[in-house]
Amino acid sequence: GINKHEIKKSIYHVLLEEFNIQEIIKETTVKGLSLAPSNLDLTGAEVELVSAIGREYRLKSALKNIRENFDYFIIDSPPSLGLLTINGLCAADSVLIPVQCEYYALEGLTQLINTVNLVKNHLNPDLLIEGVLLTMADFRTNLAKEVIQEVRKYFHDKVYHSVIPRSIRLTESPSYGKPVALYDKDSIGAQKYEELAKEVLGLPITDENKIASTSPKEEGAA
């Protein structure tokens, strides 16, 4: 629900101009959820960080002073292996890897694992793989089932049982500035993400709220 065009100071200013991150944090419409936003300014950060002192640890340093204020930080890194992602991996305790159930996602996954291992060996020895999330699954195709099988075979128990299906509600909700849990809490996408959240937190998932990923009632499958 935050308009990115109205953001004056963003994570860009924290990383490049060493602003106090507390100055940019905004409250959201979700109770207990705060946001350190970014906007188009961040597109130039990759180039500008190249010559910055301590470039890999800018985000880690920024978060250090507010660690006690929050239960969790979720760092949303770009889908590239540049300095912004390296900053995220250096600041994180663990990494949650979303994998689209498509062929080329498997190739990208190999590159990401190599990067995680490099960061672990040289920059952040405590970095762990929290889990692997299978997403955008279209269970009508054999490819999705094959990708799921391959990922589970490689990562074993690191793969979450919850699989996020393709859903029109999931693609619609960002355009309304809402998470899917507020946009349509009864949709298959919202229920699968709730199931995932409980799995990540180690909470029990009852049969009543466990949704079958292969349900024929998947509304609006894309």
Side-chain angles (χ1 to χ4, degrees), residues 7-197:
I7 296 169
K8 303 300 181 186
K9 300 296 180 183
S10 69
I11 199 71
Y12 168 87
H13 299 91
V14 173
L15 295 176
L16 274 300
E17 300 179 14
E18 300 186 68
F19 265 65
N20 186 330
I21 195 168
Q22 193 71 53
E23 296 179 36
I24 73 162
I25 291 177
K26 296 181 178 295
E27 297 304 315
T28 70
T29 55
V30 181
K31 184 179 179 181
L33 177 66
S34 302
L35 178 69
S38 69
N39 56 17
L40 283 175
D41 291 342
L42 199 60
T43 56
E46 290 279 3
V47 175
E48 295 179 60
L49 278 171
V50 169
S51 58
I53 296 173
R55 60 188 183 182
E56 296 93 349
Y57 298 105
R58 291 295 181 99
L59 183 59
K60 182 176 183 178
S61 297
L63 295 176
K64 180 174 62 176
N65 296 327
I66 60 169
R67 282 186 74 97
E68 302 303 317
N69 299 351
F70 298 92
D71 295 313
Y72 296 94
F73 290 130
I74 299 175
I75 303 168
D76 184 17
S77 298
S80 63
L81 302 179
L83 278 170
L84 291 176
T85 298
I86 298 298
N87 262 268
L89 293 175
C90 286
D93 299 314
S94 59
V95 56
L96 193 157
I97 306 171
V99 180
Q100 293 183 22
C101 295
E102 298 174 0
Y103 173 76
Y104 286 113
L106 291 178
E107 292 189 348
L109 183 59
T110 302
Q111 293 176 313
L112 177 61
I113 295 302
N114 290 338
T115 300
V116 169
N117 288 333
L118 284 171
V119 170
K120 184 177 176 68
N121 291 335
H122 300 286
L123 298 170
N124 184 3
D126 297 324
L127 185 66
L128 302 171
I129 294 179
E130 183 76 21
V132 178
L133 171 64
L134 293 158
T135 185
M136 297 182 73
D138 184 348
F139 293 98
R140 297 170 300 181
T141 67
N142 289 330
L143 177 60
K145 297 169 186 175
E146 290 170 7
V147 169
I148 291 171
Q149 186 178 9
E150 284 297 312
V151 173
R152 291 197 188 282
K153 185 166 69 175
Y154 183 81
F155 287 101
H156 306 292
D157 59 350
K158 283 291 184 181
V159 184
Y160 293 112
H161 292 292
S162 306
V163 179
I164 311 301
R166 284 188 178 273
S167 164
I168 288 178
R169 292 292 181 265
L170 288 174
T171 57
E172 285 177 346
S173 60
S175 66
Y176 289 87
K178 294 181 179 181
V180 71
L182 294 183
Y183 177 65
D184 187 350
K185 65 182 179 62
D186 295 321
S187 65
I188 181 71
Q191 292 180 57
K192 291 303 291 184
Y193 270 115
E194 181 180 353
E195 183 183 308
L196 170 69

